[in-house]
Amino acid sequence: MKNFFYLEGAYLILGGIILLVALFVSTRPFMAKGAWKKGLFWVSVVLAVLIGAHYKVTTNRMEKVKTAFENGKTILCESRMLRKAAQVVYIKKENDWSLKGDDFVSPNYARPFFSARCIVK
């Protein structure tokens, strides 16, 4: 739960905007009475399921990446430093990489790589 707001913050904000739009549309005069209750309920349920599923998939992938790294496999991480050149960084334990919390760090790189943005090769 520690990373929930960090991982899903943008989706929670978008979900809030979607709920406001649903509230606005469901309170228009052409809508049936009580439509706002049903509309907000179902939109909330769908958003909660989608955000929860995304969080579950992301945290499962993070655990797989961490386990694979500890077992010596190669990890591919998105590099945002040079978009035109190498867009992927190959991370291996043998190449001075270590895992600190959820971040891959190396003395050869200026910034860490978050495990949620990585996959197993």
Side-chain angles (χ1 to χ4, degrees):
M1 201 60 166
K2 169 182 147 188
N3 288 328
F4 180 75
F5 290 110
Y6 182 71
L7 292 171
E8 304 301 323
Y11 298 115
L12 292 171
I13 291 169
L14 288 173
I17 292 169
I18 290 169
L19 283 173
L20 289 175
V21 169
L23 178 64
F24 178 77
V25 169
S26 63
T27 56
R28 299 297 92 204
F30 57 83
M31 296 296 288
K33 290 189 184 266
W36 68 273
K37 289 180 187 177
K38 291 178 186 175
L40 287 183
F41 173 75
W42 286 110
V43 171
S44 298
V45 168
V46 168
L47 288 173
V49 168
L50 292 175
I51 291 171
H54 183 265
Y55 178 72
K56 186 71 173 161
V57 167
T58 302
T59 54
N60 285 343
R61 186 180 64 244
M62 288 171 65
E63 289 304 316
K64 288 179 185 176
V65 165
K66 289 179 192 177
T67 303
F69 175 76
E70 293 298 333
N71 292 334
K73 293 184 180 176
T74 303
I75 307 299
L76 305 176
C77 287
E78 174 186 23
S79 175
R80 296 182 181 177
M81 292 176 74
L82 296 171
R83 285 289 193 179
K84 294 179 183 174
Q87 294 183 353
V88 175
V89 174
Y90 294 89
I91 295 176
K92 279 189 105 168
K93 209 174 204 182
E94 305 161 354
N95 299 336
D96 296 330
W97 286 95
S98 62
L99 189 59
K100 289 188 180 176
D102 291 329
D103 295 326
F104 292 107
V105 293
S106 171
N108 303 324
Y109 279 84
R111 66 176 205 74
F113 292 92
F114 189 49
S115 62
R117 307 294 173 246
C118 301
I119 59 170
V120 179
K121 182 176 179 185

